[in-house]
Amino acid sequence: MLITLRVLHGQVERVIRTDKDTITVGRSKGCTIAIDDPGLSRTHCQFERTGTRLFVRDLNSRNGTRIEGELVSKSVVRPRERITCANAVITFESMEKEPDADDPGMKTVELLLERARPVSSSVNPEAQRLQRMLEMLAPLLRGLDREKSLQGILDAAIALLRAERGFLVLMGAGAPTVHLARNAQGENLAAADAGISRGILRRVLQEGVALLIDDASSDDALAALGSVHALQLRSVLCVPLPGTALQGALWLDHRAPRGGFDHRDLAIVPFFAELAVVALETGERFAEERSRARDLEEDVERGREELVRMSAVLDRVRGEEPLRHDFGRIPARSRAMRTAVRMADRAAGVDSSVVFVGPAGSGKEHLARAVHAQSSRREHPFVAVLCASLPAGLAETELFGRSAAADQPRARAIGGLFGSAAGGCLYLDGLQNLCAQAQAVLLRGLVQAEGGEGNPEVSLSGSVRIMTGSSLSLAHLVAAGRLDEDLRRRLDGLSINLPSLQQRIVELPELIDQLLLELQSPFTLGPEARRALCAHAWPGNLVELKSVLQRLALLRSRANPGRADVEQCIGEQTLPLRDAVDDLERRAIERTLDACGGSISAAARQLGLSRPGLRKMLRRLGLRDSPEPGN
């Protein structure tokens, strides 16, 4: 069998014809249909032919497989149905027996197919009518606003059946009530101006049958109804709403005495009545879900407020004083972050060195800037330098604006980074990456400042406040041989530990709002998107969060991103399983080695490995296997 599929991705459309019984779709080049789309899984889904039927099966993909918008795991595919996989749309065109090129009867078949094409809708009035109905109703079935859907359904019925007015009537408190009234101009009518016969409604509702009245005034069975004469009713089409949960009717009328409606209209109007029931029931369910979601969000918010209140009470019980400086722009609901802000408050009131310890991307520099902004040096510069970027041979020039070969006693002024930060603060970011030569240069400058050695005119004492940021404490760096002990004594001061983003996940909503404000984002995040963000582990902490929000701004600059958009942006950083395991092992070994001062034996015992086994892992992961002291 020859299967024909039409693939549309971006602005590129291609037609695939194959006789394979299994057709795979995905990002992998090994797939039958390979599509370069980050939203696709490596093997996203596959088409399977069974006899004369074609099935599509989702292969546990990240974003799912949909047929005409409906999420499926396995389903039969009918001709002309569209299968959506991330940003690609695949249309099943046909499945037919592969023709024999030498068959002389093929030309006859092609001729018959040409003659069997359907009549154009421009020629067939019934086809025109059906096409118009589908065009009017298609947008209505995509929305969740019940009243707008009902208005659209009633307007479509009025337009298609050439009625002058339309009414949706529901039973309420034992009596029929007009829920919606519209005219041919698409305007709402007041319920008082409905002008419908309750006698006709009662008959339709009691008997459960549709009524087509060509001329109400000449119908013997209706002539006795006073409302027919009073309202001067002529052509009426009234059908009951299907189902038992809702009781009501759809009413259409026309002032033409005869010929306003015919038997074809009577066959079509129940379809509109069924759509009205679907819109009513769906709208009610979504209203209940929205109400439950709002209640849940309010419960969560109340829980957060109660947590903050209880934390404040606990702080007072412990005798902790209120903050003396303004750190209100830093969310601190979690206990670890409250402790960090309290230490920062103390650091802002003194002029000593400060060490910020925390994982990469946890906001160490941001908190250091906040401390500087609240300190007595706030009017002077805050200069940040990345330690890893300091070149070993030019460290003295970068830090002090002078060469190591210069005549120190004749130097008259401090330049470089220290000169730029004069009177303010110099922040050394990533101290664990400061090379040994740069450490020696920095130590010599600090020693001269403290002891007055060299030229007194170049003294640093009281000129610059030094703050440092590190992923490990200074004691761990010294134990691992990555920091000079004398330099540690001069840099060590107040130590502030910052938690990872996972440890302060309760503050994530506030952090998201702050970052969106900083990024001047053109969109807002709904509850579904926020829940997707809160469910992520954030190994890259605040840096990763900011990067994801920036990608969302690029991806959906004119609309509000949903859960799928968030998962797509986060998923771009997902590592293959083997790489993720290697990364986890690498970080665990690095932390253990740092804690054990670089001792292979101690680290192996703590990790439950043999020394040769740990050395083998170090070589496989590309980590430095340094000899142990004394070996």
Side-chain angles (χ1 to χ4, degrees):
M1 299 293 283
L2 188 64
I3 300 171
T4 303
L5 301 172
R6 187 177 299 274
V7 182
L8 176 63
H9 182 248
Q11 301 297 321
V12 179
E13 187 178 61
R14 50 185 171 142
V15 176
I16 307 294
R17 291 187 176 90
T18 179
D19 58 356
K20 293 183 177 180
D21 291 338
T22 302
I23 305 167
T24 55
V25 180
R27 212 173 61 245
S28 172
K29 293 182 179 179
C31 292
T32 311
I33 303 177
I35 304 173
D36 186 12
D37 188 330
L40 288 175
S41 299
R42 290 182 58 80
T43 307
H44 195 96
C45 66
Q46 70 181 23
F47 292 91
E48 305 167 352
R49 184 183 70 82
T50 303
T52 58
R53 295 198 298 175
L54 184 67
F55 292 83
V56 65
R57 182 196 299 273
D58 184 74
L59 301 177
N60 295 322
S61 63
R62 184 170 67 244
N63 293 320
T65 303
R66 291 172 169 80
I67 297 181
E68 297 295 343
E70 182 179 352
L71 200 64
V72 298
S73 57
K74 181 180 180 181
S75 177
V76 66
V77 186
R78 297 175 178 83
R80 310 307 300 174
E81 282 190 330
R82 294 174 300 176
I83 299 89
T84 305
C85 307
N87 298 312
V89 178
I90 303 174
T91 304
F92 173 37
E93 294 286 341
S94 63
M95 181 166 59
E96 55 192 5
K97 186 176 180 181
E98 191 170 359
D100 185 356
D102 298 328
D103 185 357
M106 284 302 300
K107 295 187 180 294
T108 304
V109 172
E110 291 175 1
L111 179 61
L112 290 174
L113 287 174
E114 181 68 25
R115 291 178 177 175
R117 286 179 181 174
V119 180
S120 170
S121 61
S122 60
V123 178
N124 190 331
E126 287 304 314
Q128 268 188 332
R129 195 181 199 196
L130 180 60
Q131 181 178 355
R132 187 181 177 195
M133 182 175 72
L134 293 175
E135 289 173 352
M136 288 188 294
L137 291 177
L140 304 176
L141 305 180
R142 301 191 187 106
L144 299 179
D145 189 312
R146 184 181 71 168
E147 294 307 313
K148 287 184 179 179
S149 295
L150 290 173
Q151 287 180 4
I153 292 168
L154 201 53
D155 289 344
I158 292 171
L160 191 68
L161 304 179
R162 306 170 307 283
E164 288 187 324
R165 303 182 308 166
F167 304 94
L168 177 63
V169 183
L170 300 178
M171 291 296 294
T177 304
V178 176
H179 180 81
L180 185 63
R182 305 278 286 179
N183 61 18
Q185 288 73 41
E187 301 169 340
N188 283 325
L189 299 175
D193 300 331
I196 57 178
S197 170
R198 293 186 180 273
I200 295 177
L201 278 173
R202 191 161 43 248
R203 180 174 171 181
V204 169
L205 294 174
Q206 287 175 354
E207 298 180 11
V209 296
L211 280 182
L212 170 60
I213 304 168
D214 198 32
D215 188 352
S217 60
S218 62
D219 192 309
D220 295 336
L222 301 174
L225 297 176
S227 58
V228 172
H229 295 284
L231 299 172
Q232 297 181 346
L233 293 177
R234 299 294 186 182
S235 296
V236 176
L237 187 55
C238 185
V239 297
L241 297 181
T244 57
L246 289 171
Q247 286 191 327
L250 188 66
W251 173 295
L252 301 172
D253 62 23
H254 202 289
R255 285 177 295 182
R258 286 187 178 277
F261 304 110
D262 57 26
H263 66 281
R264 294 174 300 175
D265 301 326
L266 185 61
I268 289 178
V269 75
F271 175 69
F272 288 99
E274 190 167 348
L275 280 180
V277 171
V278 172
L280 286 167
E281 293 177 345
T282 304
E284 185 175 352
R285 285 198 299 270
F286 274 102
E288 292 174 356
E289 292 297 329
R290 282 194 294 265
S291 178
R292 279 197 290 267
R294 283 194 297 269
D295 292 343
L296 182 59
E297 290 174 2
E298 290 173 1
D299 291 342
V300 171
E301 188 60 31
R302 281 195 295 268
R304 286 175 178 162
E305 293 173 355
E306 182 64 17
L307 178 62
V308 173
R309 188 185 69 80
M310 293 303 296
S311 298
V313 171
L314 184 60
D315 290 343
R316 288 196 296 272
V317 170
R318 290 176 172 178
E320 296 182 353
E321 299 178 356
L323 299 180
R324 291 172 294 174
H325 302 87
D326 183 13
F327 287 91
R329 290 180 58 82
I330 298 179
R333 291 176 180 263
S334 63
R335 182 175 300 280
M337 200 61 200
R338 287 204 315 277
T339 302
V341 170
R342 194 167 295 282
M343 292 297 296
D345 182 60
R346 295 176 185 174
V350 297
D351 204 36
S352 62
S353 300
V354 186
V355 181
F356 297 88
V357 181
S362 57
K364 297 185 290 292
E365 183 179 341
H366 182 69
L367 187 57
R369 289 182 181 275
V371 170
H372 176 70
Q374 298 296 322
S375 71
S376 58
R377 295 176 178 264
R378 68 178 68 92
E379 301 299 330
H380 298 281
F382 178 95
V383 178
V385 56
L386 189 63
C387 292
S389 67
L390 283 175
L394 299 176
E396 190 161 8
T397 303
E398 291 289 329
L399 290 171
F400 301 108
R402 64 195 182 203
S403 170
D407 186 3
Q408 298 297 337
R410 295 183 180 180
R412 291 294 177 185
I414 291 294
L417 295 168
F418 271 90
S420 301
C425 174
L426 179 66
Y427 177 72
L428 302 174
D429 187 16
L431 187 66
Q432 72 276 2
N433 298 318
L434 190 63
C435 66
Q437 187 172 347
Q439 290 183 36
V441 170
L442 179 59
L443 176 60
R444 185 166 62 248
L446 295 177
V447 168
Q448 289 177 358
E450 291 177 0
E453 299 177 15
N455 189 349
E457 295 185 21
V458 300
S459 174
L460 299 176
S461 181
S463 173
V464 177
R465 182 183 189 182
I466 298 180
M467 297 184 188
T468 55
S470 174
S471 60
L472 296 170
S473 68
L474 301 193
H476 279 160
L477 292 178
V478 172
R482 299 169 65 179
L483 181 67
D484 184 82
E485 174 67 27
D486 290 336
L487 181 58
R488 181 193 71 82
R489 294 193 186 99
R490 286 164 174 80
L491 295 180
D492 214 349
L494 283 173
S495 182
I496 301 177
N497 294 313
L498 274 78
S500 65
L501 185 54
Q502 185 63 30
Q503 292 172 305
R504 52 185 301 204
I505 201 70
V506 68
E507 298 152 13
L508 189 59
E510 295 175 63
L511 291 169
I512 291 172
D513 291 337
Q514 280 191 1
L515 289 174
L516 289 177
L517 190 61
E518 291 177 13
L519 296 172
Q520 297 181 345
S521 172
F523 61 81
T524 57
L525 289 174
E528 289 294 327
R530 288 178 178 269
R531 280 193 285 272
L533 289 172
C534 290
H536 187 52
W538 300 112
N541 297 297
L542 292 173
V543 173
E544 183 186 4
L545 175 61
K546 186 174 183 179
S547 177
V548 168
L549 294 178
Q550 286 174 331
R551 288 200 295 274
L552 281 173
L554 294 174
L555 180 66
R556 299 288 298 273
S557 59
R558 296 185 181 178
N560 297 336
R563 174 182 286 273
D565 300 311
V566 171
E567 291 175 348
Q568 179 181 351
C569 288
I570 292 176
E572 290 175 359
Q573 291 185 323
T574 301
L575 295 173
L577 181 59
R578 183 66 259 175
D579 294 343
V581 172
D582 288 348
D583 182 64
L584 183 63
E585 290 178 344
R586 187 180 293 109
R587 283 185 289 165
I589 291 174
E590 285 179 335
R591 285 197 300 269
T592 307
L593 283 172
D594 288 339
C596 296
S599 170
I600 297 292
S601 300
R605 283 194 300 271
Q606 190 167 335
L607 291 168
L609 300 171
S610 65
R611 280 177 50 183
L614 179 55
R615 290 186 183 278
K616 184 178 179 181
M617 288 186 69
L618 289 171
R619 289 192 295 271
R620 179 172 61 82
L621 298 173
L623 297 175
R624 181 168 55 92
D625 183 1
S626 57
E628 298 183 55
N631 287 358

